Amino acid sequence: MTDVRCPMVDAIIASVSIGVIIVAAGKGERLGGSVPKQLLDLGGRTLLQRSVGSFDDCPGLTAMVVVLPAELVGNGAALVGPTKHPCRCVAGGARRQDSVRVGLEALPPDVPIVLVHDAARPFANLPLIDRVVAATAITGAAVPAVPARDTVKRARIDRLEVETTIPREVIWLAQTPQGFRREVLDAAVRLGATGVAATDEAMLAELAGHPVAIVPGDEGNVKITTRDDLDTARRRLSGVPRVGTGYDLHRLAPGRALVLAGIRLPSEFGPLGHSDGDVVCHALTDAILGAAGAGDIGGHFPNTDVRWKDAAGVDLLARAVGIAAAHGWRPSSADVTVILERPKVSPHVAAIRTALASVLGLEVSDVSVKGKTNEGVDAVGRGEAIAAHAVAVLVGLAR
Ligand code: CTP
Ligand code: MG
């Protein structure tokens, strides 16, 4: 992963002229319907218009080419709408790489850095673009990418059977915009023209022997491929928040650490079991996953898997926030009730709220934590267990 910011890099970026190719010539077959997906409405603007708009405030951008299906080029200016930068519309080719080639031919020759972006990614943002440009200026080619979350299997080509498990640490999911120094993209496109097929230009640059840097992508920068992706994106922009609830209980045993949101409370008793028994984090993790419609803690982090058996609750909570982001949601507030006979939770509420706010990316005022006893009733009341209830409110990641 490349992170290359320094005053010299900033000076290079400030002075360099950038061109962007927005590829929008696909048919959107996997989404279906009579209108190509890039022309569908997403919260008042089309995917194409949002993708073009992502570059509105990009410093150094001097030229933009939008590659459209041939039959729509005549109407290109209206489809793209008002732009802050000079914009040409040209007719694309049969494959994405063909569309990129014609887009590159239409860019002014004096643009030294070229970004290639999918019209099907309407949520790119300026910090992301800036990271790509910075790494491109230094290394010649850069892709934004996010780490794989799931265990990755390679299947046999002839039947659905696992051939091998690929270490997840080396798997990155590539996004756009991808950045290239002009000569690197020229070489990549030349290679593509020789019959090499590729699903992105970074792949052609790699095959042409050029190193391609990875910069942090953005979980919200999703590609709209299926009808489900479009529905999720529309919900993100609807402004309607989502609510999830969570609950957790652990038995208490003498000599165990009592940890809530990663904060250790003075106690002779603590939760029993393999994990740290952090009921606050476990309940809130379920609330967040529930609000995102993304399953539950047991499904994502089964304690039968050695990776999660001893995992800290705050780590699982942070991962749940990442999973929610991948579904297009971010926390906007949370409320947790801890039910514990002793010790008292109230002296630790401020520390627990601060810890949770940091993991959730919220202000402390958006996170509430309350302690209660069970009035001596049941196992919790007898001091044999600790429980927590949580509610999380999520809002869409991008507007
Ligand atoms: N694209 C393009 N020219 C092509 C094929 C694709 O400009 N011949 C563009 C698409 O418009 C999209 C981006 O490349 O913005 C990424 O491609 P993809 O998500 O695969 O879109 P489609 O090819 O339109 O969808 P599908 O594969 O489902 O038909
Ligand atoms: Mg396609």
Side-chain angles (χ1 to χ4, degrees), residues 58-218:
C58 173
L61 192 74
T62 56
M64 177 179 270
V65 172
V66 174
V67 188
L68 290 167
E71 65 280 12
L72 297 176
V73 173
N75 199 23
L79 293 175
V80 172
T83 59
K84 283 200 181 172
H85 304 282
C87 177
R88 276 186 74 184
C89 294
V90 295
R95 300 167 303 171
R96 185 182 179 282
Q97 68 190 79
D98 305 318
S99 297
V100 172
R101 179 175 45 75
V102 291
L104 184 60
E105 284 162 7
L107 266 186
D110 56 350
V111 177
I113 287 194
V114 181
L115 303 178
V116 180
H117 186 54
D118 291 339
R121 284 188 196 270
F123 297 121
N125 54 51
L126 221 46
L128 171 77
I129 295 168
D130 186 61
R131 287 197 291 276
V132 173
V133 171
T136 304
I138 300 298
T139 63
V143 297
V146 292
R149 288 184 197 296
D150 299 329
T151 300
V152 182
K153 307 286 184 194
R154 188 167 67 215
R156 288 178 55 117
I157 195 108
D158 53 342
R159 62 173 181 270
L160 269 187
E161 183 185 306
V162 173
E163 189 176 84
T164 184
T165 300
I166 303 168
R168 198 180 29 199
E169 301 70 43
V170 300
I171 301 296
W172 291 82
L173 309 176
Q175 304 182 335
T176 69
Q178 303 187 347
F180 305 91
R181 282 211 292 267
R182 180 68 174 245
E183 65 277 14
V184 177
L185 188 55
D186 279 338
V189 164
R190 269 200 308 276
L191 183 67
T194 65
V196 179
T199 46
D200 68 4
E201 279 51 53
M203 182 174 163
L204 290 172
E206 294 150 33
L207 292 171
H210 203 290
V212 177
I214 292 177
V215 300
D218 187 317

Side-chain angles (χ1 to χ4, degrees), residues 42-47 49-51 53-54 121-125 218 220-221 232-241 328-330 394-399:
L42 181 57
R45 288 186 291 156
T46 63
L47 272 75
Q49 288 164 346
R50 284 184 174 275
S51 305
S54 305
R121 284 188 196 270
F123 297 121
N125 54 51
D218 187 317
N221 180 30
T232 304
R234 283 180 172 157
R235 279 200 297 273
R236 265 169 76 169
L237 296 174
S238 70
V240 179
W329 302 98
R330 66 172 175 81
L394 306 185
V395 291
L397 259 174
R399 297 246 102 224

Side-chain angles (χ1 to χ4, degrees), residues 97-381:
Q97 68 190 79
D98 305 318
S99 297
V100 172
R101 179 175 45 75
V102 291
L104 184 60
E105 284 162 7
L107 266 186
D110 56 350
V111 177
I113 287 194
V114 181
L115 303 178
V116 180
H117 186 54
D118 291 339
R121 284 188 196 270
F123 297 121
N125 54 51
L126 221 46
L128 171 77
I129 295 168
D130 186 61
R131 287 197 291 276
V132 173
V133 171
T136 304
I138 300 298
T139 63
V143 297
V146 292
R149 288 184 197 296
D150 299 329
T151 300
V152 182
K153 307 286 184 194
R154 188 167 67 215
R156 288 178 55 117
I157 195 108
D158 53 342
R159 62 173 181 270
L160 269 187
E161 183 185 306
V162 173
E163 189 176 84
T164 184
T165 300
I166 303 168
R168 198 180 29 199
E169 301 70 43
V170 300
I171 301 296
W172 291 82
L173 309 176
Q175 304 182 335
T176 69
Q178 303 187 347
F180 305 91
R181 282 211 292 267
R182 180 68 174 245
E183 65 277 14
V184 177
L185 188 55
D186 279 338
V189 164
R190 269 200 308 276
L191 183 67
T194 65
V196 179
T199 46
D200 68 4
E201 279 51 53
M203 182 174 163
L204 290 172
E206 294 150 33
L207 292 171
H210 203 290
V212 177
I214 292 177
V215 300
D218 187 317
E219 297 281 3
N221 180 30
V222 292
K223 182 157 80 74
I224 307 298
T225 304
T226 63
R227 174 62 56 180
D228 260 4
D229 296 337
L230 183 64
D231 291 345
T232 304
R234 283 180 172 157
R235 279 200 297 273
R236 265 169 76 169
L237 296 174
S238 70
V240 179
R242 307 252 301 210
V243 177
T245 71
Y247 169 75
D248 192 34
L249 178 143
H250 281 267
R251 288 173 191 276
L252 294 171
R256 303 275 306 174
L258 177 59
V259 175
L260 297 177
I263 310 285
R264 176 129 187 214
L265 273 62
S267 171
E268 286 161 17
F269 291 81
L272 201 60
H274 280 299
S275 80
D276 60 1
D278 190 330
V279 288
V280 165
C281 286
H282 293 174
L284 200 47
T285 295
D286 254 351
I288 286 172
L289 293 172
D296 66 10
I297 191 168
H300 285 282
F301 316 113
N303 59 9
T304 47
D305 184 330
V306 286
R307 272 178 308 152
W308 310 123
K309 221 173 61 176
D310 300 315
V314 279
D315 183 30
L316 301 186
L317 181 59
R319 287 172 188 273
V321 171
I323 292 167
H327 284 72
W329 302 98
R330 66 172 175 81
S332 85
S333 66
D335 186 17
V336 183
T337 302
V338 182
I339 311 169
L340 178 65
E341 222 51 30
R342 61 186 175 277
K344 272 189 169 311
V345 174
S346 50
H348 308 284
V349 158
I352 296 170
R353 287 176 74 194
T354 304
L356 290 179
S358 147
V359 180
L360 299 178
L362 293 175
E363 299 293 325
V364 173
S365 57
D366 296 325
V367 179
S368 154
V369 173
K370 310 177 303 292
K372 287 187 90 65
T373 70
N374 220 29
E375 294 282 324
V377 177
D378 293 342
V380 174

